[in-house]
Amino acid sequence: MQDYSIKSIRNEFKSKGVFYTPKELGEKLKSFVDVEYKNVYDPTCGRGYLLSVFGDDVVKYGQEVDEEALKEAKINLDNFIGEVGDTIKEDKFKDMKFDLIVANPPFSIKYEPTKELEEDERFKDLPCLAPASKADYMFIAHCLAKLKDSGQAIILNFPGILYRKAREYKIRKYLVDNNFIEKVIHIKGDTFIDTKIATCILVLKKQRTDNNVLFVDTENDLEYLATYEEVVQNDYTLSVSNYVIKEEEKEVVDPVELQKNAHEAFRNKIIKELEFTRMVCVLEGWDFKSYVMDILSLVHSFLD
């Protein structure tokens, strides 16, 4: 029997674009939902772990390239409609849009940009297709295209999408300029089983009342609401660390206590020096009293 343990999934199936998605990730993505929904869609649903956190009354839709994984999702999920196929190449829910989309697409996998994809309804408004070596923004654009105007998409991504240049820069700029990005959330490494690297979550909406972007650092429990103009000034970089800066804790210093401690330290140093000098004078037969009087004379000079 094939081993589908947490430890083995990524190593065995990474080259095929099949990834293990822990259930706790589904709970995390769900925690950012703030729209009403009757249905939820996962474009790379795997075995259905993201969808499993939603109640039986919610209609669940999913597409998955791995037929065996989809069979398992159909067994495990209630009120679920699943289709087999490569999501980028062929949208199996072509005539549908969804209230809510949750996704954990494979990070930076290769795909084949084609003329057909350039003309595809999902991608035709993009300034360009994503680079052939990194399909991340193809999945993001797919999610946006499948979203109802009143809906919300919550997508786990590799952080490189937030700052990489060239084609990805152009698509990122398009998303910001069209006010589709509501939140960018930093997730530290090891937050989820089998996800050692830091990740990020993009929250997308089509109809928004403002053009600000909320940056959330879950590692340090910090947030920053950036204006559209600030994002433009940052050359459309969306790295959370560019906006959320952790303030270093400053030590509160009491000047009276500081002077008191300095005085005590200075006094103790004088005592030790005098004790040492007296010991040397006794051993060498020197006049210790004369030495002390010289020190006293020096001290008195500061009183004048």
Side-chain angles (χ1 to χ4, degrees):
M1 181 178 179
Q2 179 66 52
D3 178 15
Y4 287 127
S5 68
I6 292 172
K7 202 171 184 180
S8 67
I9 285 293
R10 184 159 294 179
N11 290 335
E12 294 185 11
F13 296 129
K14 186 175 181 181
S15 62
K16 301 177 185 177
V18 181
F19 293 81
Y20 174 80
T21 300
K23 187 174 181 178
E24 65 265 29
L25 173 56
E27 296 288 359
K28 187 67 175 180
L29 298 188
K30 186 180 179 183
S31 71
F32 294 105
V33 177
D34 59 12
V35 297
E36 294 184 3
Y37 57 93
K38 293 182 179 179
N39 57 62
V40 57
Y41 166 62
D42 182 349
T44 54
C45 68
R47 291 166 175 73
Y49 292 115
L50 290 187
L51 297 173
S52 68
V53 302
F54 295 92
D56 293 346
D57 58 323
V58 177
V59 185
K60 306 167 189 68
Y61 296 86
Q63 184 166 335
E64 172 55 40
V65 70
D66 180 2
E67 186 174 359
E68 292 303 314
L70 188 66
K71 286 180 181 178
E72 191 173 328
K74 288 182 176 180
I75 294 172
N76 294 332
L77 296 173
D78 292 319
N79 209 358
F80 173 67
I81 301 169
E83 295 288 347
V84 176
D86 185 317
T87 301
I88 294 176
K89 288 182 179 179
E90 184 182 9
D91 176 14
K92 290 298 183 77
F93 298 97
K94 191 170 184 178
D95 298 322
M96 294 187 65
K97 293 196 176 184
F98 302 96
D99 299 327
L100 178 65
I101 298 174
V102 292
N104 177 25
F107 295 163
S108 302
I109 62 168
K110 295 180 180 180
Y111 83 107
E112 184 181 358
T114 62
K115 187 66 176 178
E116 287 74 19
L117 287 179
E118 287 181 2
E119 297 172 352
D120 191 291
E121 191 68 26
R122 297 168 296 165
F123 310 123
K124 65 181 179 61
D125 292 331
L126 296 177
C128 60
L129 296 181
S133 60
K134 298 177 180 67
D136 305 78
Y137 271 109
M138 298 302 290
F139 288 111
I140 293 171
H142 170 82
C143 289
L144 186 63
K146 301 302 295 177
L147 194 62
K148 288 183 180 178
D149 287 346
S150 59
Q152 186 177 40
I154 305 171
I155 313 163
L156 187 78
N157 294 274
F158 179 71
I161 66 155
L162 304 177
Y163 55 79
R164 291 190 302 228
K165 300 296 185 180
R167 287 173 171 265
E168 290 183 304
Y169 170 86
K170 293 179 181 179
I171 301 174
R172 188 167 62 246
K173 181 178 184 299
Y174 165 81
L175 295 176
V176 173
D177 286 344
N178 284 276
N179 201 28
F180 293 136
I181 299 178
E182 181 185 37
K183 297 176 185 176
V184 182
I185 301 143
H186 163 74
I187 305 293
K188 70 174 183 177
D190 286 323
T191 298
F192 308 113
I193 296 172
D194 202 39
T195 308
K196 301 298 182 183
I197 62 171
T199 53
C200 67
I201 294 172
L202 280 189
V203 181
L204 308 179
K205 281 185 178 178
K206 288 183 175 178
Q207 293 183 339
R208 304 183 56 216
T209 57
D210 61 62
N211 62 354
N212 301 322
V213 179
L214 181 65
F215 292 89
V216 182
D217 180 356
T218 60
E219 187 169 356
N220 296 299
D221 196 24
L222 297 170
E223 294 183 357
Y224 181 77
L225 187 64
T227 64
Y228 166 74
E229 289 74 20
E230 285 179 280
V231 176
V232 173
Q233 288 171 6
N234 274 286
D235 197 25
Y236 295 92
T237 295
L238 296 178
S239 297
V240 173
S241 60
N242 278 37
Y243 302 89
V244 180
I245 301 174
K246 183 180 179 182
E247 293 186 6
E248 296 295 331
E249 293 184 4
K250 295 182 179 179
E251 183 180 359
V252 178
V253 178
D254 182 347
V256 175
E257 187 68 22
L258 185 64
Q259 176 59 34
K260 180 181 176 182
N261 293 337
H263 175 79
E264 186 68 23
F266 181 59
R267 184 175 180 276
N268 290 336
K269 183 177 181 180
I270 292 174
I271 292 172
K272 290 179 180 179
E273 291 290 341
L274 287 173
E275 288 176 345
F276 176 76
T277 301
R278 181 170 58 185
M279 182 179 64
V280 172
C281 288
V282 170
L283 292 174
E284 299 293 338
W286 296 340
D287 185 0
F288 176 66
K289 185 176 180 180
S290 175
Y291 174 81
V292 173
M293 294 303 294
D294 181 56
I295 297 298
L296 286 174
S297 176
L298 178 63
V299 171
H300 275 293
S301 70
F302 280 87
L303 298 176
D304 295 335

